Amino acid sequence: MSVLWVALAVVFVICLLNLMLTLAVIRRLREHTELINRGRVQPPGQGEITLPAGSQVGDFRVVTGDNREVTRDDLRDGMLVAFFSPRCPSCEEQKPAFVRYASDLPGGRDNVIAVLLGSPEELSGLREELGGLAQIVVEADVDGAMSKAFGLNGYPAFCLMGQDGVLAVTGFQVDVLPGAVAL
């Protein structure tokens, strides 16, 4: 009988160790998932999220959701261009600050372009949220015309335009924009 108790105790200890190891792996996977989700955002010093400030945006021609054609020549001094994806947790975190900033921008929605990356089905909610605030451009991915023209490397990305299609300020958080309140 004592051999049976010893065997049960060994099995119990092995199961307990297995459970502890499994919980440790799950915790580590959660940490990795969070890091991966943040990986779409370029932290400072890790390269540029778009072309750097002072660079001229490449040529592009797109049509907004309200059938307006937009080209690089339409980008004016003080215009805000933002890139979002519905699959990006950081985009969701930055969206309230973007809405506040864009709402206070002189010129209203004519001075704001939101480039949404994803399928039309994924973007329906985001289009509704930002449609009254910005001209909406939809691109399937970072190979879209505006994404290429701005040298997009991740999202969210926020670009304040200077004169002649030159980027005045760029960053992955709204608080890099002049007058923005930090989150």
Side-chain angles (χ1 to χ4, degrees):
M1 188 76 155
S2 65
V3 174
L4 180 61
W5 284 110
V6 170
L8 283 174
V10 168
V11 168
F12 177 76
V13 169
I14 290 172
C15 288
L16 189 59
L17 287 172
N18 186 30
L19 179 63
M20 289 172 46
L21 180 63
T22 301
L23 291 175
V25 168
I26 290 171
R27 183 175 44 245
R28 189 73 172 154
L29 283 172
R30 284 185 181 156
E31 291 171 7
H32 281 224
T33 300
E34 186 173 323
L35 289 172
I36 288 169
N37 286 338
R38 289 185 185 168
R40 293 193 174 273
V41 176
Q42 297 281 24
Q46 297 288 319
E48 299 289 337
I49 192 81
T50 62
L51 295 171
S55 299
Q56 186 170 43
V57 173
D59 287 326
F60 66 89
R61 181 175 307 278
V62 296
V63 176
T64 66
D66 42 350
N67 287 328
R68 294 166 114 179
E69 186 175 276
V70 178
T71 67
R72 180 181 68 195
D73 296 336
D74 296 313
L75 301 176
R76 338 177 253 294
D77 189 23
M79 184 176 250
L80 176 61
V81 180
F83 295 84
F84 289 98
S85 172
R87 299 175 293 236
C88 166
S90 297
C91 294
E92 195 63 35
E93 291 171 13
Q94 289 295 311
K95 190 169 41 174
F98 168 77
V99 168
R100 282 192 306 273
Y101 189 86
S103 296
D104 294 338
L105 205 59
R109 109 183 259 284
D110 288 337
N111 219 22
V112 181
I113 298 175
V115 182
L116 310 181
L117 293 98
S119 70
E121 300 81 34
E122 292 177 299
L123 297 174
S124 62
L126 198 52
R127 285 180 83 153
E128 285 180 30
E129 285 181 81
L130 302 179
L133 183 64
Q135 300 173 70
I136 303 294
V137 174
V138 174
E139 295 186 340
D141 57 29
V142 293
D143 289 333
M146 283 192 77
S147 296
K148 282 183 178 178
F150 279 77
L152 186 67
N153 291 317
Y155 33 81
F158 304 98
C159 305
L160 194 63
M161 299 305 303
Q163 295 181 355
D164 301 321
V166 172
L167 293 166
V169 179
T170 66
F172 64 95
Q173 291 184 323
V174 174
D175 63 4
V176 301
L177 302 172
V181 177
L183 293 175

